[in-house]
Amino acid sequence: MEINTPSKSLAVSIVSLVIFITTWELICRLGFIEPLFLPAPSQILSRAVKMIENGQLISHTLASTRRVMVGFFVSSMVAIPFGIFLGSSRFFMAVFDPIISLLRPLPSMSWIPLSLLWLGITETQKYSIVFMGSFAPSLLYIIEATKSIDPLLIRAARNLGASKLDVMKEVILPGSLPQIIAGLKVMLGIAWTCIISAELVAAREGLGFMIMNGKEYFQTDTVLLGMVMISITVMVIDVVFRKFERRLLPWTR
């Protein structure tokens, strides 16, 4: 069966989601699974309504979103110029490559004890976890995007009299931006992984804290609600990111 239009694709996706939720609800209501292990979607929805009414759900969601966006923004603002610079210079790439290779394999969880010792349980500590977890991978994406520019284009621009700054503005940046944006979108998902890891260990608010708190009190519906909110928030941010990408890169439409 072929799907030829976006509207048909959307309709199929909606039907698939409705079938999934309905099946889940029926399995729980018929008693095949204990609510303690897997509550029904209606139970999760009921918990969501209660937490919206007392303001907790919005508060936790905004706290996590703020931490991700601040840490990710700072990481991107450092990684983009530094990555373009390294991707354009073989000498400096050789200088910094060993350091990047040491930092890149470290997961965000490994930075948590050190950040707690340095910064304590503060907002700055949460931002630093997002920064450290997303900086090295973002940097590698940007370096590879810069290196992917055809050297013939750069040589041709220089032969026509373009300065280094002109080559950067007219050839390297327009050519590498689509890959840079694609890499940053991937890193945004990883940034969420970083902050949830940090909030699971040491936090007083946020979706990670909400999930851990629900687990402590055997509130499985709260745990699942936190997971659903992470997915919804990432989807909303992704939509905003796509609109930003279309404005920034109109030639890729």
Side-chain angles (χ1 to χ4, degrees):
M1 182 178 177
E2 292 187 1
I3 301 175
N4 299 322
T5 61
S7 59
K8 286 184 179 178
S9 177
L10 178 62
V12 170
S13 299
I14 291 173
V15 170
S16 170
L17 183 62
V18 169
I19 291 174
F20 172 73
I21 293 175
T22 305
T23 306
W24 178 2
E25 182 77 27
L26 285 174
I27 289 174
C28 294
R29 284 183 178 270
L30 293 174
F32 289 110
I33 301 177
E34 285 289 329
L36 178 63
F37 297 109
L38 184 65
S42 57
Q43 188 178 342
I44 298 171
L45 182 62
S46 174
R47 172 66 67 179
V49 171
K50 289 178 183 174
M51 293 190 73
I52 289 172
E53 287 175 348
N54 61 27
Q56 289 184 358
L57 186 59
I58 295 173
S59 173
H60 289 310
T61 305
L62 289 179
S64 293
T65 304
R66 183 187 68 246
R67 290 163 180 165
V68 168
M69 298 312 294
V70 171
F72 182 71
F73 178 77
V74 175
S75 171
S76 301
M77 289 301 100
V78 177
I80 289 173
F82 192 41
I84 292 174
F85 172 69
L86 293 183
S88 307
S89 170
R90 290 185 179 177
F91 173 76
F92 284 103
M93 186 64 213
V95 171
F96 285 97
D97 188 47
I99 303 170
I100 297 170
S101 299
L102 284 173
L103 294 177
R104 184 176 59 85
L106 296 175
S108 60
M109 290 288 286
S110 66
W111 290 101
I112 293 176
L114 196 59
S115 66
L116 285 172
L117 284 172
W118 286 350
L119 303 167
I121 305 176
T122 61
E123 288 299 294
T124 308
Q125 184 259 344
K126 308 294 182 300
Y127 301 148
S128 71
I129 290 296
V130 176
F131 180 89
M132 296 309 298
S134 59
F135 177 72
S138 297
L139 191 64
L140 287 179
Y141 269 114
I142 295 161
I143 290 171
E144 291 305 317
T146 307
K147 285 182 176 178
S148 68
I149 303 298
D150 190 344
L152 288 177
L153 292 176
I154 298 174
R155 204 174 303 154
R158 285 179 177 167
N159 288 338
L160 290 171
S163 64
K164 287 186 178 180
L165 185 60
D166 291 334
V167 171
M168 181 65 70
K169 286 167 54 182
E170 304 297 333
V171 179
I172 295 178
L173 273 178
S176 60
L177 266 180
Q179 286 192 54
I180 291 175
I181 297 291
L184 291 180
K185 282 196 290 188
V186 174
M187 292 316 305
L188 187 57
I190 294 178
W192 269 97
T193 307
C194 297
I195 198 60
I196 295 302
S197 302
E199 290 174 350
L200 285 172
V201 175
R204 298 185 183 91
E205 63 174 346
L207 291 174
F209 167 79
M210 175 179 148
I211 290 171
M212 182 56 72
N213 204 40
K215 172 250 176 187
E216 294 293 330
Y217 292 98
F218 297 99
Q219 295 174 342
T220 317
D221 50 354
T222 302
V223 174
L224 286 170
L225 177 59
M227 295 166 66
V228 170
M229 287 308 298
I230 292 171
S231 298
I232 292 174
T233 309
V234 172
M235 287 168 62
V236 171
I237 293 175
D238 189 60
V239 170
V240 174
F241 213 116
R242 286 175 189 274
K243 288 190 176 182
F244 171 73
E245 182 183 8
R246 286 174 188 162
R247 284 183 174 271
L248 187 65
L249 309 172
W251 64 88
T252 60
R253 294 177 187 174

mmCIF file of all heavy atoms in Angstrom, residues 178-225:
data_model
loop_
_atom_site.group_PDB
_atom_site.id
_atom_site.type_symbol
_atom_site.label_atom_id
_atom_site.label_comp_id
_atom_site.label_asym_id
_atom_site.label_seq_id
_atom_site.Cartn_x
_atom_site.Cartn_y
_atom_site.Cartn_z
ATOM 1 N N PRO A 178 23.709 23.443 6.203
ATOM 2 C CA PRO A 178 22.705 22.365 6.289
ATOM 3 C C PRO A 178 23.157 21.187 7.150
ATOM 4 O O PRO A 178 22.383 20.666 7.961
ATOM 5 C CB PRO A 178 22.519 21.949 4.819
ATOM 6 C CG PRO A 178 22.863 23.169 4.037
ATOM 7 C CD PRO A 178 23.974 23.820 4.792
ATOM 8 N N GLN A 179 24.424 20.772 6.989
ATOM 9 C CA GLN A 179 24.931 19.668 7.813
ATOM 10 C C GLN A 179 25.078 20.079 9.274
ATOM 11 O O GLN A 179 24.859 19.270 10.177
ATOM 12 C CB GLN A 179 26.275 19.191 7.269
ATOM 13 C CG GLN A 179 26.166 18.389 5.982
ATOM 14 C CD GLN A 179 27.482 17.705 5.660
ATOM 15 O OE1 GLN A 179 28.042 16.991 6.461
ATOM 16 N NE2 GLN A 179 27.971 17.948 4.465
ATOM 17 N N ILE A 180 25.469 21.337 9.499
ATOM 18 C CA ILE A 180 25.605 21.809 10.882
ATOM 19 C C ILE A 180 24.250 21.792 11.580
ATOM 20 O O ILE A 180 24.116 21.318 12.711
ATOM 21 C CB ILE A 180 26.208 23.235 10.904
ATOM 22 C CG1 ILE A 180 27.676 23.186 10.465
ATOM 23 C CG2 ILE A 180 26.098 23.849 12.298
ATOM 24 C CD1 ILE A 180 28.326 24.558 10.342
ATOM 25 N N ILE A 181 23.222 22.299 10.889
ATOM 26 C CA ILE A 181 21.880 22.320 11.475
ATOM 27 C C ILE A 181 21.387 20.892 11.742
ATOM 28 O O ILE A 181 20.811 20.608 12.799
ATOM 29 C CB ILE A 181 20.887 23.043 10.536
ATOM 30 C CG1 ILE A 181 21.297 24.511 10.372
ATOM 31 C CG2 ILE A 181 19.468 22.935 11.067
ATOM 32 C CD1 ILE A 181 21.138 25.356 11.593
ATOM 33 N N ALA A 182 21.639 19.993 10.783
ATOM 34 C CA ALA A 182 21.222 18.595 10.979
ATOM 35 C C ALA A 182 21.917 17.994 12.202
ATOM 36 O O ALA A 182 21.292 17.286 13.004
ATOM 37 C CB ALA A 182 21.544 17.780 9.733
ATOM 38 N N GLY A 183 23.203 18.290 12.354
ATOM 39 C CA GLY A 183 23.936 17.781 13.516
ATOM 40 C C GLY A 183 23.422 18.360 14.818
ATOM 41 O O GLY A 183 23.300 17.647 15.822
ATOM 42 N N LEU A 184 23.092 19.651 14.817
ATOM 43 C CA LEU A 184 22.590 20.287 16.038
ATOM 44 C C LEU A 184 21.232 19.708 16.443
ATOM 45 O O LEU A 184 20.937 19.598 17.640
ATOM 46 C CB LEU A 184 22.477 21.800 15.845
ATOM 47 C CG LEU A 184 23.810 22.551 15.721
ATOM 48 C CD1 LEU A 184 23.563 24.047 15.535
ATOM 49 C CD2 LEU A 184 24.685 22.322 16.946
ATOM 50 N N LYS A 185 20.425 19.337 15.454
ATOM 51 C CA LYS A 185 19.128 18.722 15.795
ATOM 52 C C LYS A 185 19.339 17.389 16.503
ATOM 53 O O LYS A 185 18.633 17.058 17.456
ATOM 54 C CB LYS A 185 18.289 18.526 14.519
ATOM 55 C CG LYS A 185 17.634 19.809 14.055
ATOM 56 C CD LYS A 185 16.522 19.556 13.063
ATOM 57 C CE LYS A 185 17.054 19.083 11.744
ATOM 58 N NZ LYS A 185 16.003 19.011 10.706
ATOM 59 N N VAL A 186 20.308 16.617 16.028
ATOM 60 C CA VAL A 186 20.626 15.350 16.700
ATOM 61 C C VAL A 186 21.129 15.623 18.116
ATOM 62 O O VAL A 186 20.740 14.951 19.081
ATOM 63 C CB VAL A 186 21.689 14.570 15.900
ATOM 64 C CG1 VAL A 186 22.125 13.327 16.664
ATOM 65 C CG2 VAL A 186 21.149 14.192 14.528
ATOM 66 N N MET A 187 21.978 16.654 18.250
ATOM 67 C CA MET A 187 22.557 16.959 19.552
ATOM 68 C C MET A 187 21.527 17.491 20.534
ATOM 69 O O MET A 187 21.684 17.351 21.749
ATOM 70 C CB MET A 187 23.690 17.977 19.392
ATOM 71 C CG MET A 187 24.901 17.447 18.665
ATOM 72 S SD MET A 187 25.373 15.790 19.210
ATOM 73 C CE MET A 187 25.563 16.039 20.954
ATOM 74 N N LEU A 188 20.457 18.101 20.010
ATOM 75 C CA LEU A 188 19.406 18.586 20.904
ATOM 76 C C LEU A 188 18.754 17.414 21.647
ATOM 77 O O LEU A 188 18.447 17.505 22.838
ATOM 78 C CB LEU A 188 18.359 19.359 20.103
ATOM 79 C CG LEU A 188 17.275 20.068 20.916
ATOM 80 C CD1 LEU A 188 17.889 21.048 21.908
ATOM 81 C CD2 LEU A 188 16.309 20.792 20.001
ATOM 82 N N GLY A 189 18.547 16.304 20.945
ATOM 83 C CA GLY A 189 18.023 15.100 21.605
ATOM 84 C C GLY A 189 18.978 14.585 22.662
ATOM 85 O O GLY A 189 18.560 14.171 23.757
ATOM 86 N N ILE A 190 20.274 14.624 22.363
ATOM 87 C CA ILE A 190 21.272 14.163 23.337
ATOM 88 C C ILE A 190 21.318 15.113 24.537
ATOM 89 O O ILE A 190 21.533 14.685 25.676
ATOM 90 C CB ILE A 190 22.654 14.054 22.660
ATOM 91 C CG1 ILE A 190 22.604 12.942 21.605
ATOM 92 C CG2 ILE A 190 23.764 13.790 23.668
ATOM 93 C CD1 ILE A 190 23.879 12.753 20.824
ATOM 94 N N ALA A 191 21.090 16.411 24.282
ATOM 95 C CA ALA A 191 21.056 17.378 25.393
ATOM 96 C C ALA A 191 19.948 17.031 26.375
ATOM 97 O O ALA A 191 20.113 17.171 27.593
ATOM 98 C CB ALA A 191 20.864 18.791 24.844
ATOM 99 N N TRP A 192 18.817 16.561 25.863
ATOM 100 C CA TRP A 192 17.736 16.138 26.759
ATOM 101 C C TRP A 192 18.154 14.926 27.590
ATOM 102 O O TRP A 192 17.825 14.823 28.775
ATOM 103 C CB TRP A 192 16.473 15.813 25.953
ATOM 104 C CG TRP A 192 15.598 17.005 25.801
ATOM 105 C CD1 TRP A 192 15.533 17.853 24.746
ATOM 106 C CD2 TRP A 192 14.694 17.525 26.781
ATOM 107 N NE1 TRP A 192 14.633 18.853 25.006
ATOM 108 C CE2 TRP A 192 14.101 18.671 26.246
ATOM 109 C CE3 TRP A 192 14.323 17.118 28.063
ATOM 110 C CZ2 TRP A 192 13.159 19.420 26.930
ATOM 111 C CZ3 TRP A 192 13.387 17.866 28.769
ATOM 112 C CH2 TRP A 192 12.811 19.004 28.199
ATOM 113 N N THR A 193 18.873 14.010 26.961
ATOM 114 C CA THR A 193 19.378 12.856 27.714
ATOM 115 C C THR A 193 20.285 13.315 28.854
ATOM 116 O O THR A 193 20.221 12.789 29.973
ATOM 117 C CB THR A 193 20.179 11.929 26.782
ATOM 118 O OG1 THR A 193 19.377 11.610 25.653
ATOM 119 C CG2 THR A 193 20.583 10.660 27.490
ATOM 120 N N CYS A 194 21.118 14.327 28.568
ATOM 121 C CA CYS A 194 22.048 14.848 29.578
ATOM 122 C C CYS A 194 21.293 15.411 30.773
ATOM 123 O O CYS A 194 21.615 15.104 31.928
ATOM 124 C CB CYS A 194 22.926 15.942 28.977
ATOM 125 S SG CYS A 194 24.001 15.394 27.640
ATOM 126 N N ILE A 195 20.286 16.246 30.505
ATOM 127 C CA ILE A 195 19.621 16.926 31.622
ATOM 128 C C ILE A 195 18.775 15.948 32.432
ATOM 129 O O ILE A 195 18.686 16.055 33.659
ATOM 130 C CB ILE A 195 18.775 18.128 31.131
ATOM 131 C CG1 ILE A 195 18.476 19.053 32.317
ATOM 132 C CG2 ILE A 195 17.471 17.701 30.503
ATOM 133 C CD1 ILE A 195 19.671 19.607 32.992
ATOM 134 N N ILE A 196 18.162 14.989 31.765
ATOM 135 C CA ILE A 196 17.371 14.008 32.521
ATOM 136 C C ILE A 196 18.300 13.182 33.413
ATOM 137 O O ILE A 196 17.969 12.903 34.577
ATOM 138 C CB ILE A 196 16.584 13.096 31.557
ATOM 139 C CG1 ILE A 196 15.549 13.925 30.779
ATOM 140 C CG2 ILE A 196 15.880 11.993 32.339
ATOM 141 C CD1 ILE A 196 14.546 14.657 31.629
ATOM 142 N N SER A 197 19.484 12.829 32.907
ATOM 143 C CA SER A 197 20.453 12.099 33.729
ATOM 144 C C SER A 197 20.838 12.919 34.950
ATOM 145 O O SER A 197 20.909 12.404 36.068
ATOM 146 C CB SER A 197 21.713 11.780 32.906
ATOM 147 O OG SER A 197 21.394 11.024 31.775
ATOM 148 N N ALA A 198 21.093 14.223 34.739
ATOM 149 C CA ALA A 198 21.487 15.091 35.851
ATOM 150 C C ALA A 198 20.360 15.228 36.868
ATOM 151 O O ALA A 198 20.601 15.199 38.081
ATOM 152 C CB ALA A 198 21.885 16.456 35.313
ATOM 153 N N GLU A 199 19.138 15.365 36.380
ATOM 154 C CA GLU A 199 18.001 15.549 37.301
ATOM 155 C C GLU A 199 17.664 14.266 38.048
ATOM 156 O O GLU A 199 17.122 14.312 39.155
ATOM 157 C CB GLU A 199 16.784 16.046 36.520
ATOM 158 C CG GLU A 199 16.936 17.486 36.014
ATOM 159 C CD GLU A 199 15.784 17.916 35.128
ATOM 160 O OE1 GLU A 199 14.967 17.052 34.739
ATOM 161 O OE2 GLU A 199 15.713 19.108 34.794
ATOM 162 N N LEU A 200 17.964 13.126 37.459
ATOM 163 C CA LEU A 200 17.709 11.852 38.154
ATOM 164 C C LEU A 200 18.623 11.714 39.364
ATOM 165 O O LEU A 200 18.274 11.081 40.358
ATOM 166 C CB LEU A 200 17.935 10.676 37.195
ATOM 167 C CG LEU A 200 16.858 10.428 36.138
ATOM 168 C CD1 LEU A 200 17.325 9.354 35.153
ATOM 169 C CD2 LEU A 200 15.544 9.988 36.784
ATOM 170 N N VAL A 201 19.820 12.296 39.277
ATOM 171 C CA VAL A 201 20.811 12.138 40.350
ATOM 172 C C VAL A 201 20.666 13.230 41.407
ATOM 173 O O VAL A 201 20.651 12.933 42.609
ATOM 174 C CB VAL A 201 22.239 12.164 39.756
ATOM 175 C CG1 VAL A 201 23.285 12.122 40.865
ATOM 176 C CG2 VAL A 201 22.428 10.980 38.813
ATOM 177 N N ALA A 202 20.589 14.488 40.969
ATOM 178 C CA ALA A 202 20.590 15.584 41.942
ATOM 179 C C ALA A 202 19.788 16.749 41.404
ATOM 180 O O ALA A 202 20.281 17.500 40.555
ATOM 181 C CB ALA A 202 22.020 16.025 42.230
ATOM 182 N N ALA A 203 18.532 16.882 41.861
ATOM 183 C CA ALA A 203 17.703 18.017 41.447
ATOM 184 C C ALA A 203 16.522 18.136 42.397
ATOM 185 O O ALA A 203 16.175 17.185 43.107
ATOM 186 C CB ALA A 203 17.213 17.823 40.011
ATOM 187 N N ARG A 204 15.945 19.315 42.420
ATOM 188 C CA ARG A 204 14.760 19.537 43.249
ATOM 189 C C ARG A 204 13.533 19.821 42.400
ATOM 190 O O ARG A 204 12.429 19.957 42.913
ATOM 191 C CB ARG A 204 15.007 20.709 44.213
ATOM 192 C CG ARG A 204 16.145 20.445 45.190
ATOM 193 C CD ARG A 204 16.286 21.568 46.210
ATOM 194 N NE ARG A 204 17.425 21.316 47.086
ATOM 195 C CZ ARG A 204 18.664 21.756 46.857
ATOM 196 N NH1 ARG A 204 18.904 22.465 45.766
ATOM 197 N NH2 ARG A 204 19.645 21.487 47.690
ATOM 198 N N GLU A 205 13.727 19.945 41.093
ATOM 199 C CA GLU A 205 12.615 20.090 40.148
ATOM 200 C C GLU A 205 13.095 19.675 38.769
ATOM 201 O O GLU A 205 14.295 19.510 38.542
ATOM 202 C CB GLU A 205 12.086 21.522 40.134
ATOM 203 C CG GLU A 205 13.096 22.536 39.655
ATOM 204 C CD GLU A 205 12.502 23.918 39.513
ATOM 205 O OE1 GLU A 205 11.275 24.049 39.531
ATOM 206 O OE2 GLU A 205 13.277 24.874 39.350
ATOM 207 N N GLY A 206 12.146 19.500 37.855
ATOM 208 C CA GLY A 206 12.491 19.042 36.504
ATOM 209 C C GLY A 206 11.843 17.682 36.229
ATOM 210 O O GLY A 206 11.412 16.983 37.147
ATOM 211 N N LEU A 207 11.774 17.331 34.960
ATOM 212 C CA LEU A 207 11.106 16.070 34.597
ATOM 213 C C LEU A 207 11.877 14.854 35.110
ATOM 214 O O LEU A 207 11.276 13.837 35.464
ATOM 215 C CB LEU A 207 10.938 16.005 33.073
ATOM 216 C CG LEU A 207 9.929 17.014 32.494
ATOM 217 C CD1 LEU A 207 9.943 16.975 30.974
ATOM 218 C CD2 LEU A 207 8.520 16.721 33.010
ATOM 219 N N GLY A 208 13.213 14.935 35.122
ATOM 220 C CA GLY A 208 14.001 13.835 35.672
ATOM 221 C C GLY A 208 13.722 13.638 37.140
ATOM 222 O O GLY A 208 13.557 12.507 37.624
ATOM 223 N N PHE A 209 13.658 14.762 37.896
ATOM 224 C CA PHE A 209 13.304 14.704 39.313
ATOM 225 C C PHE A 209 11.898 14.135 39.493
ATOM 226 O O PHE A 209 11.650 13.319 40.391
ATOM 227 C CB PHE A 209 13.385 16.108 39.923
ATOM 228 C CG PHE A 209 12.761 16.224 41.282
ATOM 229 C CD1 PHE A 209 13.435 15.785 42.412
ATOM 230 C CD2 PHE A 209 11.487 16.754 41.432
ATOM 231 C CE1 PHE A 209 12.853 15.879 43.666
ATOM 232 C CE2 PHE A 209 10.899 16.851 42.679
ATOM 233 C CZ PHE A 209 11.578 16.410 43.799
ATOM 234 N N MET A 210 10.967 14.560 38.636
ATOM 235 C CA MET A 210 9.583 14.083 38.725
ATOM 236 C C MET A 210 9.516 12.563 38.516
ATOM 237 O O MET A 210 8.807 11.852 39.235
ATOM 238 C CB MET A 210 8.753 14.810 37.649
ATOM 239 C CG MET A 210 7.327 14.376 37.510
ATOM 240 S SD MET A 210 6.520 15.359 36.216
ATOM 241 C CE MET A 210 5.374 14.132 35.582
ATOM 242 N N ILE A 211 10.278 12.076 37.541
ATOM 243 C CA ILE A 211 10.292 10.629 37.277
ATOM 244 C C ILE A 211 10.879 9.876 38.474
ATOM 245 O O ILE A 211 10.332 8.861 38.927
ATOM 246 C CB ILE A 211 11.109 10.340 35.995
ATOM 247 C CG1 ILE A 211 10.350 10.858 34.772
ATOM 248 C CG2 ILE A 211 11.390 8.849 35.858
ATOM 249 C CD1 ILE A 211 11.155 10.806 33.492
ATOM 250 N N MET A 212 11.995 10.364 39.003
ATOM 251 C CA MET A 212 12.630 9.699 40.138
ATOM 252 C C MET A 212 11.734 9.744 41.372
ATOM 253 O O MET A 212 11.613 8.764 42.122
ATOM 254 C CB MET A 212 13.983 10.359 40.418
ATOM 255 C CG MET A 212 14.768 9.710 41.548
ATOM 256 S SD MET A 212 15.054 7.937 41.305
ATOM 257 C CE MET A 212 16.271 7.996 39.991
ATOM 258 N N ASN A 213 11.078 10.907 41.592
ATOM 259 C CA ASN A 213 10.179 11.043 42.731
ATOM 260 C C ASN A 213 8.989 10.080 42.608
ATOM 261 O O ASN A 213 8.557 9.467 43.599
ATOM 262 C CB ASN A 213 9.677 12.492 42.805
ATOM 263 C CG ASN A 213 9.234 12.872 44.198
ATOM 264 O OD1 ASN A 213 9.874 12.487 45.175
ATOM 265 N ND2 ASN A 213 8.152 13.604 44.287
ATOM 266 N N GLY A 214 8.452 9.951 41.392
ATOM 267 C CA GLY A 214 7.360 9.004 41.163
ATOM 268 C C GLY A 214 7.778 7.579 41.439
ATOM 269 O O GLY A 214 7.021 6.774 42.004
ATOM 270 N N LYS A 215 9.010 7.252 41.070
ATOM 271 C CA LYS A 215 9.532 5.900 41.325
ATOM 272 C C LYS A 215 9.667 5.634 42.826
ATOM 273 O O LYS A 215 9.346 4.541 43.322
ATOM 274 C CB LYS A 215 10.873 5.748 40.613
ATOM 275 C CG LYS A 215 11.632 4.480 40.921
ATOM 276 C CD LYS A 215 12.849 4.797 41.744
ATOM 277 C CE LYS A 215 13.609 3.554 42.162
ATOM 278 N NZ LYS A 215 14.699 3.866 43.109
ATOM 279 N N GLU A 216 10.103 6.650 43.586
ATOM 280 C CA GLU A 216 10.284 6.485 45.028
ATOM 281 C C GLU A 216 8.963 6.181 45.731
ATOM 282 O O GLU A 216 8.927 5.448 46.717
ATOM 283 C CB GLU A 216 10.893 7.768 45.626
ATOM 284 C CG GLU A 216 12.309 8.067 45.171
ATOM 285 C CD GLU A 216 13.312 7.048 45.680
ATOM 286 O OE1 GLU A 216 13.071 6.484 46.766
ATOM 287 O OE2 GLU A 216 14.309 6.795 44.986
ATOM 288 N N TYR A 217 7.859 6.763 45.237
ATOM 289 C CA TYR A 217 6.553 6.590 45.874
ATOM 290 C C TYR A 217 5.671 5.585 45.112
ATOM 291 O O TYR A 217 4.461 5.555 45.309
ATOM 292 C CB TYR A 217 5.834 7.940 45.983
ATOM 293 C CG TYR A 217 6.500 8.882 46.957
ATOM 294 C CD1 TYR A 217 7.375 9.861 46.504
ATOM 295 C CD2 TYR A 217 6.274 8.769 48.328
ATOM 296 C CE1 TYR A 217 8.009 10.713 47.398
ATOM 297 C CE2 TYR A 217 6.904 9.615 49.226
ATOM 298 C CZ TYR A 217 7.767 10.580 48.755
ATOM 299 O OH TYR A 217 8.396 11.425 49.650
ATOM 300 N N PHE A 218 6.278 4.781 44.237
ATOM 301 C CA PHE A 218 5.559 3.755 43.459
ATOM 302 C C PHE A 218 4.405 4.362 42.649
ATOM 303 O O PHE A 218 3.360 3.735 42.487
ATOM 304 C CB PHE A 218 5.039 2.640 44.376
ATOM 305 C CG PHE A 218 6.133 1.895 45.072
ATOM 306 C CD1 PHE A 218 6.475 2.198 46.376
ATOM 307 C CD2 PHE A 218 6.838 0.889 44.421
ATOM 308 C CE1 PHE A 218 7.500 1.522 47.024
ATOM 309 C CE2 PHE A 218 7.864 0.196 45.058
ATOM 310 C CZ PHE A 218 8.203 0.514 46.364
ATOM 311 N N GLN A 219 4.593 5.590 42.171
ATOM 312 C CA GLN A 219 3.574 6.231 41.323
ATOM 313 C C GLN A 219 3.987 6.027 39.860
ATOM 314 O O GLN A 219 4.609 6.905 39.243
ATOM 315 C CB GLN A 219 3.457 7.718 41.664
ATOM 316 C CG GLN A 219 2.945 7.982 43.065
ATOM 317 C CD GLN A 219 2.965 9.456 43.428
ATOM 318 O OE1 GLN A 219 3.645 10.264 42.796
ATOM 319 N NE2 GLN A 219 2.230 9.812 44.457
ATOM 320 N N THR A 220 3.635 4.867 39.330
ATOM 321 C CA THR A 220 4.059 4.537 37.969
ATOM 322 C C THR A 220 3.443 5.489 36.951
ATOM 323 O O THR A 220 4.062 5.782 35.922
ATOM 324 C CB THR A 220 3.663 3.095 37.626
ATOM 325 O OG1 THR A 220 3.943 2.264 38.744
ATOM 326 C CG2 THR A 220 4.434 2.588 36.427
ATOM 327 N N ASP A 221 2.220 5.970 37.243
ATOM 328 C CA ASP A 221 1.591 6.915 36.310
ATOM 329 C C ASP A 221 2.392 8.221 36.223
ATOM 330 O O ASP A 221 2.524 8.799 35.150
ATOM 331 C CB ASP A 221 0.134 7.182 36.710
ATOM 332 C CG ASP A 221 0.002 7.552 38.184
ATOM 333 O OD1 ASP A 221 1.012 7.493 38.909
ATOM 334 O OD2 ASP A 221 -1.129 7.880 38.611
ATOM 335 N N THR A 222 2.969 8.634 37.352
ATOM 336 C CA THR A 222 3.802 9.843 37.341
ATOM 337 C C THR A 222 5.084 9.605 36.534
ATOM 338 O O THR A 222 5.528 10.478 35.780
ATOM 339 C CB THR A 222 4.156 10.250 38.784
ATOM 340 O OG1 THR A 222 2.951 10.458 39.521
ATOM 341 C CG2 THR A 222 4.987 11.524 38.803
ATOM 342 N N VAL A 223 5.664 8.421 36.702
ATOM 343 C CA VAL A 223 6.878 8.077 35.945
ATOM 344 C C VAL A 223 6.594 8.129 34.446
ATOM 345 O O VAL A 223 7.337 8.756 33.670
ATOM 346 C CB VAL A 223 7.387 6.681 36.350
ATOM 347 C CG1 VAL A 223 8.551 6.262 35.462
ATOM 348 C CG2 VAL A 223 7.800 6.661 37.819
ATOM 349 N N LEU A 224 5.496 7.479 34.041
ATOM 350 C CA LEU A 224 5.159 7.451 32.608
ATOM 351 C C LEU A 224 4.769 8.828 32.095
ATOM 352 O O LEU A 224 5.088 9.191 30.955
ATOM 353 C CB LEU A 224 4.030 6.450 32.358
ATOM 354 C CG LEU A 224 4.469 4.985 32.434
ATOM 355 C CD1 LEU A 224 3.256 4.061 32.431
ATOM 356 C CD2 LEU A 224 5.376 4.626 31.269
ATOM 357 N N LEU A 225 4.095 9.604 32.946
ATOM 358 C CA LEU A 225 3.727 10.969 32.546
ATOM 359 C C LEU A 225 4.980 11.803 32.283
ATOM 360 O O LEU A 225 5.046 12.557 31.310
ATOM 361 C CB LEU A 225 2.870 11.610 33.630
ATOM 362 C CG LEU A 225 2.466 13.078 33.397
ATOM 363 C CD1 LEU A 225 1.678 13.213 32.098
ATOM 364 C CD2 LEU A 225 1.660 13.598 34.581
#
